[in-house]
Amino acid sequence: MTYPLIQRELTIHVNNGNWYLRPIDNTSILGPVDYGWHRYRTYPDSFTFGEGLLAGSSIPGSRRLVFSGWSPQWDGFYISSMGGAAYTFHGVGVNYVALRGKAHETSILLLNHKQGEIQVRLEPVNIEALWNGYADPQGRPLLGFFALQQALFDRYASEYAPGKIRICTVGPAARHTNEGIIGSSPYHKGSLSGVVDWAGRGGMGSRLLQNHEIAAIIFGGEWDDPDLRDSKEIDAYFMEHFGQKTIQTDMALTEKYRYVPQFETGGTFGVNMREMNERMMSFNYTSIYHSDEERLKQHKDFILDHYLAQFNEETIKTRNFQHCGEPCPVACKKMNEIYKKDYEPYHALGPQIGVFDQRAAEKINDYVDAMGFDAIQTGGTVAWIMDLISSGIIQPEEFGFPPADQMNFKFTPELSEFDLINDSLRNADYAQAVVEAILFDPKARNFREGIRNCSEKLEMKLKNSSAGAVYLPHGEEGCMVPNQYWVAGMLSPMPMMGKYYVYYEGKFLPPYELGKKNVERMTYELFNDNSGICRFHRKWAETITDEIIMAHFNIDLNYKKHQFELAKEIYDGECSKSLAGFTERTIDLLLTFLQQWDRFGLKDEVLKYWLNRFEEDKYIAAGDWWAEVKRGIDDAFNSSADLIPDMLTPGQADKLKNS
Ligand code: SF4
């Protein structure tokens, strides 16, 4: 059955509380990224959020809420999405919301849909008092983001029908830094679930609070969507392409995030930690200077036998799996008590800061979450600071950090002497003291400006202090600590880094080819982001989302071309902000990635060429490598979407193989 495409946007001027609802008549807007980019180009001060066209369906993973706007952390346009939140947002009865202006006092924004009417209101809130402490229903003390979220739930939940409320809010990092995130817990049986989903990269929480003076958005409602109710219709698409119904297909194609029987683990933490092997990055990336054998030993002794073993025992064996707030059989949220174990935060605020024990990792990750920080960015920054202190390059007291010997943290240890439990805990405690100082101690104010700005300033005072800071610079002041994969793709000049708009498989590609592949990946990742689909479902989403949307809404359009054109527009608008200025350790990360392939015996003339270039002068070679990746990106965007191969379903791929 086809259904007319009707989309509505809600624009709210938070400076005066005026709002209006309009139908979207721009036919090129088919999703929240289209909408956010369009608003950003028209009104650069806009902050938007919205759902994908399938949010009213029963398709698992189709209800992410996508935030976008100018990011203070990246100094450019950014997209950050939150799992499951559109499941509740859908009840408001609008597709997209755009905020403009700045409230006169710190406020919360309430959106509701009751008795056929949309309600919008702003209310002032004293966030500092709530961040300082609030108790949960059992009387346990909460801090920062968690405290504010609970207080708002207690205050406003009764305005919403049970289960039809979600609170997106921020922590102190949003006030004091550019790295504040937006978090939200789903509703569960009358209270807030222990799972928290984050729009975790890009500093969108800082953006919301500092530019709009909005500390929380509470939404929900009772809008009844008549569309996409027919699960038979959805099943038919899956049957045609995968030979199985929706849920069966989804279960088969999301194994990594659910449970992998042959690995006896699951989720991003379980699978990535298991698979890391000699690509282990630890102690602020200094492990890249060790031999493969040393890294393998560290992986076995520290990760497989302890960090991962604990996780498997506590989380996998007990099947403590939850979902993000929308019914999803993948249940990728791997829990231990109140702690959610995802690979990237538990790596950046794990091995990178010398933490290899779950108790220590839970402690530091929970604190950073409570402060509402981007955990990957914070992990990279704190690892660099601990490296600086332990190498004696800075005196911690000068910057408000505790004296190193007072807490006795171990950052450049003889690994045979590293006590996995006690030293991990000491390192986590020191990391927490550093984060606390960054937020609240005036002596640490330069570090509050982020790893790039601070390392550049520090370098003027202390030669070589910036060498170990690993980040991707962007624009005049922005930067991103790269995602925690030791691959060349994660250092690419794509318009949004810190996401997965890159080729990041652990394989060597010549830089020009890598650039082209990045464009392909960005195009397909937009099948997910621009459709509000969770990328953990990408194995089917990138194959049939186009067909479902085009057929159901009777739209005649090449969806791949549409996402390609959007990616190209974003690239054209933003590419002048990409910078090649890598620090020495970032260059070494790239160089050692290439050297590994040489050691693995890859015979490739292009690899040989680049290794020679790096041997001559690694700084010049890194700049040239970066330019070559960029040339590949430029050429791919300047050619046609037709050159991007179609995603094939298993049946189609088999047919092709046998033809
Ligand atoms: S895979 Fe995880 S984040 Fe994605 S929809 Fe399912 S539960 Fe939510």
Side-chain angles (χ1 to χ4, degrees):
M1 173 190 170
T2 59
Y3 197 86
L5 179 60
I6 300 166
Q7 299 183 86
R8 298 198 293 176
E9 65 169 331
L10 173 65
T11 305
I12 305 164
H13 292 262
V14 293
N15 51 318
N16 56 21
N18 289 344
W19 59 275
Y20 46 88
L21 199 60
R22 276 192 306 216
I24 301 266
D25 48 19
N26 181 339
T27 52
S28 66
I29 294 177
L30 292 176
V33 183
D34 286 326
Y35 180 75
W37 175 246
H38 170 73
R39 291 294 305 205
Y40 173 74
R41 298 296 277 176
T42 318
Y43 307 106
D45 76 322
S46 289
F47 175 98
T48 67
F49 53 100
E51 62 180 31
L53 289 179
L54 300 175
S57 77
S58 58
I59 304 175
S62 61
R63 290 154 289 202
R64 275 187 97 77
L65 190 67
V66 181
F67 297 87
S68 73
W70 178 81
S71 148
Q73 181 177 335
W74 182 235
D75 198 355
F77 177 73
Y78 210 80
I79 303 160
S80 200
S81 67
M82 177 183 281
Y87 186 63
T88 314
F89 174 77
H90 198 63
V92 179
V94 300
N95 300 77
Y96 315 114
V97 178
L99 306 186
R100 302 220 32 215
K102 186 170 183 174
H104 298 297
E105 55 188 327
T106 307
S107 303
I108 50 170
L109 172 64
L110 293 115
L111 309 176
N112 205 340
H113 192 122
K114 272 184 174 171
Q115 288 147 10
E117 279 192 8
I118 290 176
Q119 301 174 350
V120 178
R121 117 176 167 261
L122 289 161
E123 281 207 4
V125 62
N126 181 351
I127 46 176
E128 275 79 12
L130 294 169
W131 280 336
N132 283 338
Y134 189 83
D136 76 2
Q138 287 75 39
R140 288 178 298 222
L142 299 170
L143 205 61
F145 157 82
F146 297 110
L148 179 56
Q149 181 182 232
Q150 184 65 51
L152 296 177
F153 182 81
D154 291 347
R155 202 175 289 174
Y156 294 106
S158 61
E159 292 190 16
Y160 294 81
K164 298 193 183 293
I165 175 174
R166 191 126 181 188
I167 298 168
C168 291
T169 189
V170 299
R175 174 63 82 208
H176 303 295
T177 76
N178 285 338
E179 294 163 3
I181 63 185
I182 302 173
S184 173
S185 301
Y187 176 97
H188 182 67
K189 294 186 182 163
S191 56
L192 290 169
S193 141
V195 174
V196 189
D197 296 284
W198 307 102
R201 304 231 69 188
M204 302 311 271
S206 302
R207 167 66 210 258
L208 183 63
L209 185 59
Q210 293 173 28
N211 291 61
H212 301 285
E213 213 46 46
I214 296 295
I217 304 167
I218 305 179
F219 53 78
E222 297 157 25
W223 182 63
D224 204 13
D225 183 0
D227 188 18
L228 281 161
R229 290 277 176 81
D230 183 3
S231 61
K232 279 200 202 111
E233 179 199 343
I234 302 297
D235 278 340
Y237 297 112
F238 282 86
M239 285 300 292
E240 188 186 334
H241 291 280
F242 297 100
Q244 296 188 85
K245 289 183 174 179
T246 312
I247 298 299
Q248 284 80 359
T249 305
D250 192 52
M251 298 280 272
L253 296 179
T254 50
E255 197 181 56
K256 170 180 175 180
Y257 305 103
R258 194 164 43 87
Y259 177 69
V260 187
Q262 68 269 36
F263 294 174
E264 296 183 343
T265 192
T268 55
F269 184 95
V271 175
N272 290 354
M273 285 291 177
R274 182 182 183 278
E275 299 283 88
M276 199 180 278
N277 298 322
E278 62 280 273
R279 289 180 306 280
M280 166 101 210
M281 299 185 293
S282 58
F283 295 101
N284 193 32
Y285 304 88
T286 52
S287 60
I288 65 172
Y289 300 117
H290 298 162
S291 66
D292 290 334
E293 290 69 34
E294 284 171 299
R295 279 194 302 273
L296 274 172
K297 183 163 170 33
Q298 191 184 139
H299 180 245
K300 179 175 181 311
D301 294 350
F302 287 20
I303 304 288
L304 295 182
D305 292 352
H306 190 76
Y307 202 33
L308 179 61
Q310 283 177 304
F311 169 79
N312 285 340
E313 194 62 34
E314 295 165 350
T315 297
I316 299 297
K317 278 199 184 150
T318 58
R319 294 289 190 273
N320 197 349
F321 307 162
Q322 295 186 34
H323 61 61
C324 59
E326 64 164 293
C328 168
V330 181
C332 72
K333 309 297 173 195
K334 307 301 185 219
M335 308 293 294
N336 179 42
E337 297 173 359
I338 56 167
Y339 307 106
K340 174 164 70 78
K341 310 289 172 82
D342 289 321
Y343 164 68
E344 298 226 42
Y346 272 71
H347 186 268
L349 287 166
Q352 291 284 29
I353 59 164
V355 166
F356 302 88
D357 179 71
Q358 291 294 339
R359 301 295 80 74
E362 285 163 355
K363 194 171 179 207
I364 181 63
N365 274 276
D366 191 53
Y367 181 74
V368 167
D369 286 350
M371 295 301 107
F373 264 114
D374 170 344
I376 302 171
Q377 195 83 358
T378 305
T381 307
V382 172
W384 166 61
I385 293 170
M386 290 171 75
D387 194 4
L388 284 176
I389 295 169
S390 112
S391 322
I393 296 174
I394 65 168
Q395 295 310 313
E397 299 87 331
E398 200 186 321
F399 299 98
F401 306 135
D405 53 0
Q406 186 182 308
M407 295 174 83
N408 210 10
F409 75 91
K410 256 196 197 163
F411 210 70
T412 46
E414 265 307 314
L415 294 184
S416 58
E417 289 167 15
F418 191 84
D419 179 329
L420 284 175
I421 295 173
N422 294 317
D423 288 331
S424 289
L425 188 58
R426 278 192 271 270
N427 287 348
D429 283 342
Y430 197 82
Q432 180 167 329
V434 167
V435 175
E436 209 172 323
I438 289 175
L439 274 175
F440 304 118
D441 193 319
K443 281 197 253 169
R445 66 183 167 279
N446 283 347
F447 289 89
R448 214 168 291 158
E449 294 169 19
I451 188 168
R452 173 186 173 187
N453 291 327
C454 181
S455 66
E456 286 174 358
K457 279 186 188 158
L458 204 59
E459 182 69 28
M460 290 188 234
K461 259 171 69 179
L462 294 166
K463 267 259 153 287
N464 277 332
S465 56
S466 67
V470 175
Y471 60 84
L472 305 167
H474 190 256
E476 283 180 28
E477 304 217 310
C479 75
M480 195 64 63
V481 168
N483 293 70
Q484 298 292 292
Y485 295 83
W486 188 357
V487 292
M490 282 301 175
L491 309 174
S492 298
M494 288 296 280
M496 265 172 272
M497 293 301 291
K499 300 181 63 68
Y500 299 91
Y501 292 177
V502 292
Y503 175 80
Y504 68 104
E505 281 178 37
K507 290 185 189 148
F508 170 76
L509 282 187
Y512 180 76
E513 297 307 319
L514 173 61
K516 287 190 358 190
K517 199 77 183 160
N518 286 341
V519 173
E520 182 184 319
R521 283 315 310 150
M522 181 167 180
T523 302
Y524 279 112
E525 287 285 343
L526 285 171
F527 272 54
N528 306 312
D529 276 342
N530 202 19
S531 313
I533 293 182
C534 166
R535 69 184 299 279
F536 290 179
H537 303 256
R538 64 190 176 279
K539 283 190 181 160
W540 62 255
E542 294 177 5
T543 312
I544 61 165
T545 302
D546 51 349
E547 190 180 322
I548 300 174
I549 290 179
M550 296 306 112
H552 181 78
F553 295 107
N554 197 20
I555 303 169
D556 183 16
L557 171 136
N558 180 331
Y559 199 66
K560 183 179 75 181
K561 188 158 180 266
H562 179 82
Q563 311 305 344
F564 174 82
E565 295 295 343
L566 172 63
K568 177 174 160 51
E569 264 191 43
I570 295 173
Y571 180 69
D572 288 347
E574 299 281 297
C575 67
S576 61
K577 298 175 189 165
S578 287
L579 298 170
F582 289 162
T583 63
E584 183 172 13
R585 192 153 309 160
T586 315
I587 291 171
D588 290 345
L589 196 59
L590 175 58
L591 168 59
T592 49
F593 168 77
L594 300 179
Q595 286 169 335
Q596 271 194 343
W597 283 102
D598 193 37
R599 282 201 302 283
F600 294 164
L602 181 69
K603 302 281 175 250
D604 186 302
E605 284 308 309
V606 183
L607 175 64
K608 215 151 106 196
Y609 166 82
W610 282 102
L611 284 169
N612 288 337
R613 291 286 320 276
F614 273 85
E615 205 169 296
E616 280 163 28
D617 187 320
K618 66 182 179 183
Y619 296 94
I620 294 177
D624 290 349
W625 169 283
W626 182 92
E628 192 61 2
V629 178
K630 188 158 186 322
R631 192 171 71 84
I633 297 170
D634 284 338
D635 283 358
F637 275 132
N638 286 327
S639 58
S640 155
D642 296 338
L643 296 180
I644 294 189
D646 287 332
M647 287 287 170
L648 299 177
T649 59
Q652 289 168 323
D654 284 348
K655 259 192 220 157
L656 210 64
K657 246 189 270 160
N658 299 329
S659 67

